[in-house]
């Protein structure tokens, strides 16, 4: 993907952003249904994409269906803008749609993400598109699709609660740290994709539209703006997020999600913000000579 595709001006309105108009119309209908029933998994006719499953084919199809010429796209993987996955997808939309891209969360109108929600608060008018490898939150408990459909229909989510209780009985606390199940709008159990549970509270009453696309499973689900998203827990074991004893070695943040980085062969390590844009913004706004790097 090194050369920009030159489109005939008369044909530039067709197949904008790679997918044909019929496919985008079909996906948009699925998105409208998903937004109407928050957390409900809507099947859609997934298309072959120029990359392998597991690289975000579902998220790309959703992004291609909602993005327009005036949008500005940001792509992150594990919170970073400079990973192979993020750079490849960003470059893909630059080529096939001449889409403007950005690394600043505040400037983006469409954000495609894998494994993180940006640290900066999202706002109205933004769309957050998740890449989802496994959309079914009950899959580890029930492998049969027909049975999981029934469990969703009857709101039979007790087995999921039991798995969390087994953690408490075994470890004294809920050990699940990512892909933590949530109840959306008080009705549907939903997998938030493999984001860390640290990000679950950001989904609650979020002003932005949240869309989830699973390419291999051909499922779409969504959370409309200002919708309740409750992480499963117990009265005597309330939901808690991860915490760290230290702070980011680059910007000094104590409130962001931190990654542990090995710095040499002797095992030296440090913690840095997972969200690279958030970290850079804090470093740029720090007073000169404040010595943020620690």
């Amino acid at each position: 993907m090194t050369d920009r595709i030159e489109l005939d001006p008369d044909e530039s309105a067709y197949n904008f952003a790679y997918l044909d108009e019929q496919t985008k119309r079909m996906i948009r209908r699925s998105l409208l249904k998903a937004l109407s029933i928050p957390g409900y998994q809507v099947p859609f006719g997934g298309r072959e994409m120029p990359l392998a499953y597991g690289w975000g084919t579902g998220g790309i199809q959703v992004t291609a269906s909602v993005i327009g010429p005036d949008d500005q796209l940001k792509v992150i993987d594990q919170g970073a803008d400079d990973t192979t996955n993020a750079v490849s997808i960003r470059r893909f939309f630059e080529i096939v749609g001449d889409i403007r891209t950005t690394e600043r969360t505040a400037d983006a109108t469409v954000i495609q993400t894998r494994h993180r929600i940006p640290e900066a608060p999202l706002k109205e008018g933004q769309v957050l598109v998740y890449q989802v490898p496994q959309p079914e939150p009950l899959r580890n408990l029930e492998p049969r699709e027909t049975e999981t459909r029934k469990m969703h229909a009857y709101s039979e989510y007790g087995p999921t609660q039991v798995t969390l209780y087994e953690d408490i009985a075994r470890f004294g606390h809920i050990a699940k740290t990512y892909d933590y199940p949530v109840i959306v709008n008080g009705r549907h159990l939903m997998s938030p994709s493999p984001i860390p549970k640290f990000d679950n509270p950001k989904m609650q009453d979020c002003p932005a539209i949240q869309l989830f696309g699973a390419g291999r499973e051909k499922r779409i689900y969504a959370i409309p703006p200002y919708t309740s998203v409750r992480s499963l827990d117990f009265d005597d074991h309330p939901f808690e997020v991860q915490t760290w004893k230290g702070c980011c070695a680059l910007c000094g943040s104590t409130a962001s999600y931190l990654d542990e980085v090995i710095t040499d062969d002797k095992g030296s390590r440090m913690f840095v913000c997972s969200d690279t844009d958030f970290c850079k913004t804090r470093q740029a706004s720090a007073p000169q000579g404040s010595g943020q790097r620690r």
Side-chain angles (χ1 to χ4, degrees):
M1 295 193 294
T2 56
D3 299 320
R4 186 171 295 275
I5 298 175
E6 298 295 339
L7 297 177
D8 186 297
D10 296 332
E11 298 179 350
S12 59
Y14 294 91
N15 296 338
F16 169 76
Y18 190 75
L19 291 178
D20 62 272
E21 293 305 313
Q22 290 285 352
T23 298
K24 285 192 278 192
R25 189 174 298 121
M26 174 269 297
I27 294 176
R28 287 168 187 161
R29 285 175 179 153
S30 299
L31 290 172
L32 287 174
K33 184 174 182 179
L35 287 166
S36 302
I37 316 173
Y40 175 73
Q41 298 173 49
V42 181
F44 76 104
R47 297 292 188 262
E48 292 292 333
M49 299 299 292
L51 73 168
Y53 288 124
W55 283 75
T57 56
I60 290 177
Q61 291 180 73
V62 172
T63 298
S65 299
V66 301
I67 202 166
D70 297 330
D71 280 315
Q72 200 159 6
L73 176 68
K74 171 182 172 73
V75 184
I76 55 174
D77 180 7
Q78 303 279 3
D81 296 273
D82 54 358
T83 63
T84 301
N85 183 268
V87 172
S88 298
I89 295 174
R90 191 164 59 238
R91 181 67 176 141
F92 171 78
F93 281 104
E94 287 175 347
I95 293 173
V96 301
D98 200 20
I99 301 293
R100 292 178 300 147
T101 60
T102 181
E103 295 185 1
R104 288 178 50 80
T105 301
D107 295 341
T109 56
V110 179
I111 303 170
Q112 182 169 329
T113 179
R114 180 162 76 167
H115 297 177
R116 282 306 315 279
I117 295 176
E119 301 289 356
L122 301 179
K123 56 189 178 183
E124 292 183 2
Q126 290 184 311
V127 179
L128 184 60
V129 181
Y130 295 77
Q131 301 171 206
V132 181
Q134 174 51 259
E136 178 52 70
L138 301 169
R139 180 63 68 236
N140 292 335
L141 303 171
E142 175 53 66
R144 293 170 294 181
E145 182 68 21
T146 53
E147 293 302 313
T148 57
R149 295 285 184 91
K150 291 179 184 176
M151 294 170 74
H152 283 297
Y154 296 128
S155 296
E156 189 179 331
Y157 299 138
T160 304
Q161 203 89 34
V162 170
T163 61
L164 300 179
Y165 179 76
E166 288 174 345
D167 275 2
I168 296 173
R170 186 174 183 182
F171 305 111
H173 64 279
I174 299 175
K176 195 172 184 62
T177 57
Y178 69 97
D179 201 14
Y180 196 102
V182 296
I183 294 289
V184 180
N185 201 32
R187 173 58 180 87
H188 281 97
L189 183 72
M190 191 195 82
S191 166
S193 98
I195 62 170
K197 67 178 181 180
F198 180 89
D199 286 339
N200 277 21
K202 299 175 186 173
M203 306 170 80
Q204 166 75 10
D205 293 329
C206 179
I209 297 174
Q210 300 177 76
L211 307 175
F212 300 76
R216 183 187 289 112
E217 304 287 336
K218 297 180 174 53
R219 291 286 188 276
I220 286 173
Y221 48 105
I223 303 175
Y226 302 110
T227 300
S228 70
V229 179
R230 179 178 65 83
S231 301
L232 294 184
D233 60 0
F234 301 89
D235 291 342
D236 54 346
H237 286 83
F239 174 77
E240 295 178 342
V241 300
Q242 300 98 321
T243 57
W244 290 263
K245 294 181 179 178
C247 62
C248 173
L250 301 179
C251 73
S253 172
T254 57
S256 59
Y257 186 86
L258 303 179
D259 286 334
E260 186 176 13
V261 179
I262 305 297
T263 55
D264 57 34
D265 294 339
K266 299 178 180 178
S268 302
R269 60 196 64 195
M270 66 179 185
F271 288 92
V272 297
C273 290
S274 166
D275 188 330
T276 52
D277 172 58
F278 175 80
C279 192
K280 290 176 182 176
T281 302
R282 280 183 53 86
Q283 292 180 63
S285 61
Q288 292 293 328
S290 61
Q292 287 286 16
R293 187 180 178 99
R294 308 176 180 199

